[in-house]
Amino acid sequence: MPMELLDVQCGFGTAPGQRQPVTAADLCDEMERIGVGAGLVRLTPPTLHFDIAAGNAALYAVHDQSPALIPCPVVIPDAAHDLPSNDAQAAEAVGHGAGAVCIRPRTDCWSLAPWASDGLFRALSARRLPVLCSSDEVPLEELGGLAGRHRGLPLVILGANYRQQRILAPLLEHFPNTYLSIGSNYCVHHGIEALVGAVGPTRLLFGTGFPDVDMLPTVTYLSYA
C-alpha cells in the first residue's frame, strides 16, 4: 500500500547549484513525481528573505493557489516594538491556514532567553501551533530549555545530523513535546529504528529538505526502515 506523505521540511526559492529559482510550481511537480500529498512550505534560503511580512505574504498567496502547499510563516518576538504583537502574528498564521511556524533567531538577530522571547512562545502555545526549529538556528541544548519552559508547545527539529544522535535521543525522551524531521541532514544508520524504539513512531515526522536536496532519498530511507 502506498504511503500518504506530508513533507514538513520543504520549500521553494533559491537552491544550491540551481541557476534559476525553484518555484512553487516546481515544488508541486516534484511532490507529484515522488508521491508526496502535501508539504509544509517555507521560503529558502532564509538569508535571502529578511522581509518577514513580504515572505509570509508570498507563502499565503501560494497556499491560496495550491492548497497542498501549507504555509509555514516566520514569526519573531515583538520585543523591539517594531512588529505586530506576538498574539497578532500567531493569529495571522492561523487565519491564513498555517500548519506551523518557523523561527530563525540567528538570522533575525533575537534571543531565545525567556525575558526576550517567552511572550511569543506563550502566544504560539495557546494555539498549539507547532514551531519548526532548524539546528542551524536553534542549538539543541537551547531547544531543550525552550521545550521545558513551554511543555504544551510542539517543537519540530529540522536538519539534525548523524553526530547529534546522542543528544537527540535523550532530548526526545525527556521532552514529549519535541519531534524530529527525518529529512536532510538526518541520515543515521538505523536511526529511525532506534528512535522509534525509544519514543515511538509518532515523534518522527517525514521531511525531505527540498529544494536543497532531492526528495527521493528520504522516501527511500523511510521505506527501508
Side-chain angles (χ1 to χ4, degrees):
M1 178 182 296
M3 292 182 290
E4 183 178 352
L5 298 172
L6 186 153
D7 188 344
V8 303
Q9 190 183 343
C10 65
F12 56 93
T14 302
Q18 297 282 350
R19 293 190 177 186
Q20 298 296 325
V22 176
T23 67
D26 295 331
L27 172 58
C28 289
D29 289 343
E30 180 72 359
M31 289 166 54
E32 183 176 2
R33 181 178 76 89
I34 300 298
V36 174
L40 189 60
V41 299
R42 296 169 292 138
L43 296 179
T44 61
T47 51
L48 292 182
H49 300 280
F50 289 106
D51 189 331
I52 294 172
N56 290 347
L59 289 177
Y60 300 147
V62 163
H63 174 64
D64 290 341
Q65 297 296 318
S66 303
L69 301 184
I70 305 165
C72 182
V74 174
V75 293
I76 186 171
D78 65 358
H81 310 296
D82 59 338
L83 294 168
S85 71
N86 297 319
D87 278 320
Q89 291 182 64
E92 178 186 59
V94 172
H96 283 283
V101 297
C102 174
I103 59 170
R104 321 179 299 191
R106 181 171 295 177
T107 294
D108 296 322
C109 300
W110 55 273
S111 171
L112 284 165
W115 46 267
S117 62
D118 270 11
L120 173 65
F121 295 119
R122 284 193 293 269
L124 299 173
S125 185
R127 295 164 175 83
R128 288 283 296 172
L129 198 56
V131 180
L132 270 60
C133 307
S134 168
S135 59
D136 291 337
E137 296 277 352
V138 183
L140 293 181
E141 290 82 358
E142 292 190 40
L143 189 140
L146 180 60
R149 298 199 308 270
H150 301 279
R151 291 185 176 266
L153 181 63
L155 301 170
V156 181
I157 303 163
L158 307 181
N161 64 58
Y162 74 96
R163 300 192 71 176
Q164 294 175 306
Q165 184 79 352
R166 290 184 177 86
I167 305 173
L168 282 171
L171 178 67
L172 292 169
E173 288 179 290
H174 196 74
F175 300 109
N177 56 324
T178 57
Y179 301 81
L180 173 69
S181 168
I182 63 168
S184 176
N185 297 313
Y186 188 76
C187 56
V188 178
H189 181 59
H190 290 313
I192 292 177
E193 293 89 335
L195 291 179
V196 167
V199 299
T202 61
R203 304 281 298 288
L204 302 187
L205 305 180
F206 174 78
T208 62
F210 185 87
D212 290 350
V213 297
D214 191 272
M215 286 186 172
L216 192 56
T218 308
V219 177
T220 305
Y221 183 45
L222 175 63
S223 298
Y224 281 87

